[in-house]
Amino acid sequence: MNTATTTPEQHGAEHHDHKPKGLMRWVLTTNHKDIGSLYLGFSFLMFLIGGAMAMVIRAELYQPGLQIVEPNFFNQMTTVHGLIMVFGAVMPAFTGLANWLIPMMIGAPDMALPRMNNWSFWILPMAFSILLASLFMEGGGPNFGWTFYAPLSTTYSPDSTALFVFAVHIMGISSILGAINVVVTIVNMRAPGMTYMKMPLFVWTWLITAFLLIAVMPVLAATVTMVLTDKYFGTSFFAAAGGGDPVLFQHIFWFFGHPEVYIMILPSFGIISAIIPTFSRKKLFGYSSMVYATASIALLSFLVWAHHMFTTGMPVAAELFFMYCTMLISVPTGVKVFNWVATMWRGSLTFEVPMLFAIAFIVLFTIGGFSGLMLAITPVDFQYHDTYFVVAHFHYVLVTGAIFSIMAAAYYWLPKWTGHMYHEGLGKLHFWASLISVNILFFPMHFLGLAGMPRRVPDYALQFADFNQLVSIGGFAFGLSQLIFLVVVIKCARGGKPAPAKPWEGAEGLEWEMPSPAPYHSHTTPPIVK
Amino acid sequence: MHKLISVAVLSAMSFLATASGGSPFNLTTGVTDISHRVYDLHMTILYICIAIGVVVFGVMFYAIIKHRKSKGATAAQFHESTKVEIIWTIIPFVILVTMAIPATSTLIEMEDNSQSDITIKITASQWKWHYQYFEHDFGFFSLLSTPSEQISNQAQKSENYLLEVDKPLVIPTGKKVRFLITADDVIHSWWVPAFAVKQDANPGFINEAWTRVNEPGIYRGQCAELCGKNHGFMPIVVKVLPQNEYDAWLKEQLAQVEVAKQAETKALASTLTYEESMTLGKQVYLARCAMCHQPNGQGIPGAFPPIKNSPMALNDKQAHIDIVLHGKAGTAMQAFSNQLTAKEIATVITYERNAWGNDTKDVIQVSEIINREVK
């Protein structure tokens, strides 16, 4: 998103930097801002590639019948779209934000483990090169869904499955390294006086996210390793014929997968908790209850994995347990929404682009939360499960949730990163185009799912034709709208109105006490936090 | 503002209410007691969510409109209240409990598989369903019957495009029908929305589900779990008949089983000609083999092997017969010995050995299939 950032001339603190020029600067960098920019740029590239795959999916589904791609390739598109968006777009974007912001927010000069930071980024392009290369192998790339249920991903998968497994391994290593760096930085490098309960919520939510990552990424690694040995080395973890169980796969996968969902939304909560008070010119309502709510969501996320598996034939007692635990998650999530609304209440509101994205986040993420609550009710889930209702649900949470918050963050901190104000008019155009198109894209999917359209199908019965056409039109419009964002960021990186140290009237936090653009090394002497 | 909200709520509710009867907007009410309860539960939760949404977003939009800086609003200073935090933790919790009570009782009833009248074993495989009537020891396969010309847009799509099968499952009204659901290869999921039944078919394990349908009719569903290339082409059709018609249907089916047995014996004695074999073989090939090996016999490289010019189809006749009869373990190639008649197997092998320039001139006879199978 922000690869063309600052040059050394713009900084005050370059006197002891002997960094190489050109490409090698980026390859060898150990600077948290450079690495943050690399992550964000990479994430946007992946967003475009994953988005292009979504366009293929929506083009095929524009009309009933098979027109553009054959079903096997369609399955590869849905699979790789999901993998790229989860592991290539959303997660690296948050890591990029963490790199840029955490040292500035806690009063540290850089991340605690800068060389590891470099490595954790640079293995990512390798992972995605392997994943994308597998699409060109004989027999095609992964076609078993991003959830890669066995035995479809083992006995019945294409020959390229090993490439998928190695790619996921590398992504997992990258995430674990990034998470370790975040934890070590936050625990050890806070400025004097920056106690835990004074940390900005973005730092808090990322600290909790990092622990979730360290807890569940090894589980994902174990899952893909078992897939690898089942397929190539004759083991039977997931094959009944050898004493294994295909449902075991789903238990292990979702034990990773559900905390993973919160990994992709907790940092969003931190971002929104920074933006809403700024543009309400009022302190965040209920700071400590926000921290406790985040921690409760993280803990509960380990107790709800089997709500993805209600139709696999679980005992009633297990179904009830997972239903109750899942319903409980809506309590701390509700607390967060209530706190944001209470922050806005009797504030002094203005509506710059970050605020617009933040408000849209609250409304649309909550709609995703409502459909999540509906999905938690086991007897009704039998009807919703594996339909477009689920597709609508998780896209509301991930696109209008996670991605909208990332957009909000980009607009909010761009002046700090580049030293220029972004073009407000273009930003507003981007917001309104995205808001309208994203709802045309995802809202009718609720109706499709309720009316009975299964997910992951390349063709459908005639009664679903009208809504699918509408959804596809929304999809193309949403895809095109994101190019406006690219223009805004490039324009802002190249020039524009100079940004003051604190471009937002109501903003609070150490990052706003630094000049804009932020110096190459943050806080070379620790700031004083009262 | 308040007026606006109430208008919006009322219109949303009436929209959903009018949309309830099998519309393209909402869940089906279905045709079983359970499906009605599921529908009611769905609507209850939906209304609760809408009500919460209206209150929360109402407050938020009130602030957005009234408390804006451009209207001269100055920010208040309050930012904490333990009392308020406790209140808005407890209220949602109470609402959740009221939701959980009907959900629990419905779920317990749905999962009570005891005291069934009829048992049907459903076996899924790529990409078809097999229904076995336990009490009567007969069963059949059920496959998509939409012609491929419709899928490839070369023919007008019929009314039940992708939701029609060659032979639907038939059950009687008013009886508790228990389904034992399993799979031969990957995970599938048997789903009929009108019954509110969706149950995964796991290879090597057996799941249970049940239904008791009140109204006769034809009900359609689809496979709900991604099961490979043709996951979208694996529909389910259930024909529900009044008891007397069901009995008549059952009698006819059992008689047909006898006829088929006799036909098999007769076919054993007859000699198939090349032309006859090629015509029937082509039909069987297109219906059962072409989804993987493709109509042109070239397969999909890396996924499904070609038959055209393959050493097996050109030379090793016995291996060819064996693989069609018994499948190949650990691959998508299924055993067709119990899916097709001996005559169909003989002719499809003849077709595969002579089509697309394979030209072996072999004509496989039914006796070769039967003898092979007995061995």
Side-chain angles (χ1 to χ4, degrees):
Chain A
M1 265 175 234
N2 194 26
T3 45
T5 45
T6 49
T7 56
E9 287 74 37
Q10 289 170 280
H11 301 304
E14 80 275 24
H15 49 276
H16 60 277
D17 296 328
H18 302 288
K19 54 174 186 273
K21 298 258 183 274
L23 183 68
M24 287 321 274
R25 170 189 168 186
W26 297 103
V27 174
L28 299 175
T29 184
T30 54
N31 179 278
H32 75 101
K33 298 194 181 73
D34 284 353
I35 294 172
S37 301
L38 285 170
Y39 265 113
L40 291 170
F42 178 76
S43 147
F44 193 71
L45 178 68
M46 286 296 124
F47 182 56
L48 294 183
I49 294 175
M53 292 175 181
M55 296 299 109
V56 173
I57 295 168
R58 283 321 318 173
E60 178 55 56
L61 292 174
Y62 186 74
Q63 283 181 342
L66 295 177
Q67 287 88 14
I68 295 166
V69 295
E70 53 98 21
N72 195 40
F73 188 74
F74 182 90
N75 288 346
Q76 291 172 47
M77 286 294 105
T78 55
T79 304
V80 183
H81 163 75
L83 290 167
I84 285 193
M85 287 307 196
V86 168
F87 295 103
V90 174
M91 290 170 68
F94 283 134
T95 315
L97 292 172
N99 262 291
W100 253 104
L101 297 170
I102 288 177
M104 297 204 293
M105 285 177 163
I106 63 171
D110 203 309
M111 295 295 278
L113 307 164
R115 291 186 188 205
M116 193 174 86
N117 206 6
N118 171 291
W119 199 49
S120 77
F121 171 75
W122 277 110
I123 60 176
L124 265 190
M126 314 302 160
F128 285 92
S129 305
I130 294 174
L131 181 65
L132 289 170
S134 75
L135 288 172
F136 300 97
M137 301 290 145
E138 198 182 68
N143 58 5
F144 28 70
W146 86 275
T147 53
F148 59 104
Y149 279 12
L152 190 60
S153 63
T154 56
T155 314
Y156 296 88
S157 65
D159 293 343
S160 67
T161 304
L163 295 179
F164 156 82
V165 169
F166 293 137
V168 172
H169 266 303
I170 302 172
M171 293 168 202
I173 293 170
S174 164
S175 294
I176 292 172
L177 295 181
I180 290 174
N181 211 348
V182 166
V183 172
V184 177
T185 306
I186 296 173
V187 172
N188 292 294
M189 297 188 56
R190 280 168 291 124
M194 177 62 80
T195 58
Y196 280 108
M197 290 313 272
K198 276 187 191 159
M199 293 195 309
L201 266 167
F202 180 73
V203 180
W204 252 119
T205 52
W206 237 113
L207 180 64
I208 293 169
T209 302
F211 277 109
L212 285 182
L213 277 167
I214 294 169
V216 300
M217 278 295 159
V219 180
L220 176 66
T223 318
V224 289
T225 307
M226 285 187 263
V227 164
L228 185 81
T229 61
D230 262 18
K231 181 163 177 66
Y232 298 99
F233 302 107
T235 58
S236 301
F237 291 108
F238 309 131
D245 182 350
V247 178
L248 173 70
F249 172 91
Q250 297 177 36
H251 280 292
I252 304 174
F253 176 82
W254 287 114
F255 189 79
F256 146 79
H258 205 80
E260 168 69 18
V261 171
Y262 293 97
I263 287 165
M264 292 190 284
I265 204 66
L266 293 186
S268 303
F269 294 161
I271 292 164
I272 302 305
S273 302
I275 292 174
I276 294 287
T278 295
F279 296 97
S280 305
R281 290 165 183 75
K282 188 160 159 278
K283 270 183 92 162
L284 180 69
F285 189 87
Y287 169 88
S288 46
S289 79
M290 285 297 224
V291 174
Y292 302 142
T294 310
S296 338
I297 293 172
L299 288 176
L300 280 172
S301 77
F302 288 102
L303 298 175
V304 297
W305 77 88
H307 68 213
H308 299 268
M309 303 166 50
F310 284 144
T311 64
T312 56
M314 286 194 293
V316 188
E319 286 175 331
L320 289 174
F321 172 81
F322 286 107
M323 172 169 79
Y324 298 147
C325 285
T326 307
M327 292 170 84
L328 264 188
I329 285 201
S330 59
V331 174
T333 314
V335 166
K336 286 188 162 288
V337 174
F338 300 145
N339 276 325
W340 289 322
V341 173
T343 307
M344 291 166 73
W345 187 253
R346 289 183 54 209
S348 173
L349 275 62
T350 53
F351 301 94
E352 287 85 347
V353 182
M355 182 64 162
L356 292 174
F357 271 105
I359 293 172
F361 170 95
I362 297 179
V363 176
L364 301 176
F365 171 78
T366 306
I367 291 177
F370 285 146
S371 55
L373 180 59
M374 294 169 78
L375 283 158
I377 312 292
T378 314
V380 209
D381 179 71
F382 291 148
Q383 292 284 43
Y384 307 144
H385 179 76
D386 266 332
T387 69
Y388 259 80
F389 191 81
V390 177
V391 180
H393 160 70
F394 67 74
H395 281 98
Y396 262 85
V397 177
L398 281 173
V399 178
T400 60
I403 290 179
F404 267 34
S405 79
I406 293 165
M407 295 292 178
Y411 282 105
Y412 186 57
W413 281 293
L414 258 180
K416 179 58 61 189
W417 297 340
T418 63
H420 309 122
M421 298 305 288
Y422 60 84
H423 191 291
E424 187 74 25
L426 275 180
K428 287 214 161 99
L429 178 69
H430 172 225
F431 169 74
W432 287 109
S434 298
L435 179 75
I436 294 166
S437 58
V438 87
N439 282 296
I440 298 174
L441 166 58
F442 295 125
F443 204 79
M445 286 186 183
H446 291 114
F447 301 133
L448 282 172
L450 292 175
M453 179 166 160
R455 63 190 284 210
R456 294 166 164 166
V457 292
D459 195 3
Y460 47 81
L462 299 178
Q463 69 261 35
F464 306 127
D466 295 345
F467 276 133
N468 268 296
Q469 200 161 64
L470 187 66
V471 164
S472 287
I473 290 167
F476 303 141
F478 183 70
L480 286 175
S481 306
Q482 302 323 304
L483 299 177
I484 307 172
F485 178 69
L486 185 63
V487 173
V488 174
V489 174
I490 292 174
K491 258 174 81 91
C492 183
R494 286 188 165 176
K497 209 177 94 191
K502 197 173 104 169
W504 314 118
E505 191 190 359
E508 273 185 45
L510 291 178
E511 76 268 32
W512 306 113
E513 287 166 25
M514 305 169 83
S516 297
Y520 195 60
H521 292 287
S522 310
H523 307 292
T524 39
T525 51
I528 294 146
V529 182
K530 283 177 218 107
Chain B
M1 188 65 201
H2 296 288
K3 214 170 168 186
L4 241 166
I5 293 169
S6 52
V7 169
V9 177
L10 282 176
S11 56
M13 286 189 169
S14 58
F15 166 75
L16 285 168
T18 51
S20 60
S23 83
F25 295 105
N26 203 357
L27 205 61
T28 174
T29 46
V31 288
T32 65
D33 295 347
I34 287 286
S35 73
H36 281 102
R37 289 187 62 175
V38 166
Y39 174 83
D40 291 341
L41 203 52
H42 157 76
M43 290 313 288
T44 311
I45 305 160
L46 183 63
Y47 285 138
I48 292 175
C49 287
I50 290 173
I52 298 172
V54 166
V55 172
V56 175
F57 300 147
V59 172
M60 191 171 98
F61 279 100
Y62 184 87
I64 288 174
I65 290 160
K66 295 279 179 180
H67 304 155
R68 47 171 73 204
K69 198 186 176 196
S70 57
K71 287 198 172 167
T74 48
Q77 291 305 311
F78 66 88
H79 61 84
E80 216 161 28
S81 165
T82 313
K83 204 198 284 172
V84 172
E85 300 285 352
I86 290 173
I87 290 171
W88 65 37
T89 305
I90 288 175
I91 293 177
F93 188 82
V94 172
I95 297 175
L96 289 178
V97 172
T98 57
M99 282 185 195
I101 292 167
T104 304
S105 67
T106 307
L107 182 66
I108 288 172
E109 198 182 324
M110 284 174 105
E111 295 286 355
D112 175 17
N113 293 295
S114 62
Q115 293 173 332
S116 59
D117 304 309
I118 297 172
T119 300
I120 294 168
K121 184 183 171 203
I122 302 174
T123 310
S125 56
Q126 286 179 328
W127 292 281
K128 50 184 159 287
W129 301 97
H130 183 264
Y131 301 111
Q132 182 75 26
Y133 288 70
F134 254 41
E135 285 83 358
H136 301 284
D137 197 28
F138 93 100
F140 53 85
F141 282 90
S142 180
L143 282 92
L144 175 74
S145 63
T146 301
S148 60
E149 293 77 34
Q150 291 190 17
I151 296 170
S152 58
N153 308 303
Q154 286 152 355
Q156 181 77 33
K157 291 180 176 39
S158 53
E159 190 194 342
N160 291 313
Y161 175 70
L162 296 190
L163 295 178
E164 50 199 352
V165 296
D166 56 352
K167 209 163 176 215
L169 172 67
V170 179
I171 57 171
T173 52
K175 286 281 162 66
K176 184 164 182 175
V177 183
R178 182 173 66 138
F179 302 114
L180 299 177
I181 303 170
T182 186
D184 276 341
D185 37 42
V186 299
I187 300 173
H188 304 263
S189 191
W190 197 82
W191 177 35
V192 178
F195 304 164
V197 171
K198 183 185 285 149
Q199 190 69 62
D200 287 2
N202 298 326
F205 293 84
I206 293 175
N207 274 332
E208 277 182 303
W210 67 273
T211 192
R212 190 196 301 271
V213 184
N214 303 328
E215 297 158 38
I218 293 174
Y219 304 103
R220 295 168 201 276
Q222 284 177 273
C223 176
E225 182 63 60
L226 178 62
C227 56
K229 186 169 79 74
N230 283 6
H231 163 56
F233 306 93
M234 197 173 158
I236 295 152
V237 180
V238 184
K239 199 169 165 184
V240 182
L241 297 175
Q243 186 68 44
N244 55 344
E245 288 177 38
Y246 172 76
D247 292 338
W249 174 84
L250 198 62
K251 210 167 152 190
E252 193 193 317
Q253 294 302 308
L254 293 171
Q256 275 180 17
V257 171
E258 283 309 310
V259 172
K261 270 186 199 152
Q262 285 162 14
E264 193 93 316
T265 329
K266 218 185 270 171
L268 185 59
S270 69
T271 307
L272 288 161
T273 65
Y274 178 82
E275 284 72 25
E276 187 191 355
S277 295
M278 288 299 278
T279 317
L280 180 59
K282 186 176 183 182
Q283 286 170 14
V284 177
Y285 182 84
L286 290 177
R288 306 302 283 267
C289 315
M291 0 184 185
C292 295
H293 295 291
Q294 304 299 303
N296 60 13
Q298 291 177 354
I300 297 175
F304 304 112
I307 299 173
K308 183 183 178 179
N309 290 331
S310 80
M312 187 187 282
L314 293 177
N315 304 313
D316 196 343
K317 191 166 85 175
Q318 294 308 335
H320 195 169
I321 296 173
D322 277 341
I323 200 169
V324 175
L325 280 175
H326 306 301
K328 187 175 175 190
T331 71
M333 182 65 196
Q334 303 168 349
F336 284 92
S337 57
N338 58 357
Q339 299 193 25
L340 299 171
T341 64
K343 187 177 175 185
E344 286 170 324
I345 291 177
T347 56
V348 81
I349 296 173
T350 302
Y351 178 74
E352 289 173 349
R353 298 181 75 79
N354 291 288
W356 325 297
N358 277 358
D359 287 334
T360 58
K361 301 288 177 237
D362 290 343
V363 180
I364 314 293
Q365 296 304 323
V366 178
S367 54
E368 292 176 76
I369 304 300
I370 302 277
N371 294 339
R372 203 73 204 156
E373 212 175 348
V374 171
K375 211 182 86 186

